[in-house]
Amino acid sequence: MFFHLYKYSLKALMHNRNIMFWVLIFPVILASFMYFAFGSQMDTMDDFYVIPVAIVEEKASEIYEPMLKYVSDPEKDPLIQAEWVKQKQAEKLFQQGKVDAIIYVKDNLSMTVAESGMEQAILANMLDSFEQYKQIALPMIQSNPEKQEEIVASFLENTDDLEEYLISDVKTNPAMNFFYAVIAFACLFASLEGCDRSLKLQSEDNVVAQRRGVSAVSRRKMLLADFLACVTIQYVIICLLFLYMRVCLRLNFGDKYLAILLLLLIGSSCGIVFGIVIGALRGINMGMKIAIMTSINLVCCMMSDLMIEGIKDWIWHHAAWLNRINPAALVSDAFYVLKVYDGYERFVQDVLLLGVITLVLMLISLLLIKEE
């Protein structure tokens, strides 16, 4: 019986042309238009830029100061754009979002950042390199103080190699954020499938639901079969969309394909369960449910950089909790992390948050869809 319910749901979804358009055709069209808009620049644009930082020199350093000035020299392809200021001014610039970090110079280097991103990772690696050099150079300077400039210069001559090392594996196109958001859009609009199946379990909303309501099979068993059918259909669709963007549009998402497949599965499941919850709301007609669901989805996608470039980063700086409860931002951020970072720590955090949101929504749907 369960397999019959599952097969019935699959057929019903595949024959729903409106849903198939919004979850498959429209994302493909959207990705294609974006590629045509950015395509000529895809090979030339670089996500890395000179990183604005504020430097607070709490104690003069004959080692750190020349290093920092060298990597911020505008005539030498600088790694950072440095402002040497007092602490209060540095904090003001940081709060206004004019600098990505505050670097403190004293006996050791330290740094204050608002989030964990590509630029912050580069700065952290740079400071670690400076600290390692200090451990080597300081004994040499202490034993040969007259050769201090020569010793420091020997390191600075290799700064170009340092910069290349720091950013060589994290180059990505800023336009890719839009394509990450398109995939997030496709995941969230899987809610149309979940809402459709949920509506067909509410006897007061739908003739089909009335027929299903007199069945001896429990509604929650029907819900599980419907959910698995939605996941099956949506996972195939989202993988086809990803394949189209990777092969036909030749977009570079990195090579961590197993992690990407896991992300697509959880992101799609989250969208489907959200649709089930909206469809299960009582006392609201179908048109209003669709309007509420679509509005929430569009707002979430807008906050993941789909319509407004840079808004997701702005939210990270001013209301980070919004991104942590926004499935679209989590999906987009997870793609970015997989492309930029070698490790999986932040990716795992994004996926776990998506999983928690999905689980909470599933529990809510079980409470709303009661046995009658």
Side-chain angles (χ1 to χ4, degrees), residues 305-332:
D305 280 356
L306 183 63
M307 297 89 161
I308 305 174
E309 181 182 4
I311 190 171
K312 184 177 68 173
D313 184 65
W314 184 89
I315 293 173
W316 275 119
H317 282 86
H318 296 86
W321 62 271
L322 273 176
N323 278 345
R324 294 190 177 99
I325 63 172
N326 179 1
L330 291 172
V331 171
S332 176

Side-chain angles (χ1 to χ4, degrees), residues 212-366:
R212 299 181 79 186
V214 299
S215 170
V217 182
S218 71
R219 284 193 172 189
R220 287 175 180 170
K221 183 178 288 188
M222 292 182 186
L223 175 64
L224 178 59
D226 288 347
F227 171 72
L228 292 178
C230 290
V231 170
T232 302
I233 292 291
Q234 179 61 25
Y235 194 56
V236 172
I237 287 173
I238 201 72
C239 287
L240 288 174
L241 173 64
F242 176 77
L243 192 64
Y244 170 76
M245 296 170 72
R246 180 66 187 90
V247 177
C248 298
L249 301 185
R250 299 183 180 180
L251 300 176
N252 184 6
F253 292 93
D255 56 1
K256 299 174 182 176
Y257 294 114
L258 290 179
I260 290 174
L261 290 175
L262 174 63
L263 175 60
L264 295 177
L265 177 61
I266 297 178
S268 297
S269 299
C270 186
I272 291 166
V273 178
F274 174 64
I276 291 174
V277 170
I278 297 297
L281 295 176
R282 302 280 178 158
I284 304 176
N285 62 47
M286 183 179 67
M288 183 59 67
K289 289 178 180 180
I290 297 296
I292 292 172
M293 183 178 62
T294 303
S295 298
I296 294 175
N297 285 341
L298 289 176
V299 170
C300 289
C301 291
M302 180 269 291
M303 292 193 298
S304 70
D305 280 356
L306 183 63
M307 297 89 161
I308 305 174
E309 181 182 4
I311 190 171
K312 184 177 68 173
D313 184 65
W314 184 89
I315 293 173
W316 275 119
H317 282 86
H318 296 86
W321 62 271
L322 273 176
N323 278 345
R324 294 190 177 99
I325 63 172
N326 179 1
L330 291 172
V331 171
S332 176
D333 185 67
F335 268 103
Y336 173 80
V337 169
L338 288 176
K339 180 65 171 65
V340 170
Y341 295 108
D342 290 329
Y344 290 89
E345 181 178 353
R346 184 166 159 184
F347 170 79
V348 170
Q349 181 183 9
D350 288 337
V351 169
L352 286 177
L353 287 171
L354 274 172
V356 170
I357 294 171
T358 304
L359 180 60
V360 170
L361 291 174
M362 178 59 77
L363 292 175
I364 294 173
S365 69
L366 291 174

Side-chain angles (χ1 to χ4, degrees), residues 193-209:
E193 301 168 44
C195 185
D196 175 76
R197 303 317 301 162
S198 181
L199 288 171
K200 289 179 172 56
L201 285 175
Q202 308 301 307
S203 59
E204 68 272 19
D205 291 333
N206 192 277
V207 174
V208 175

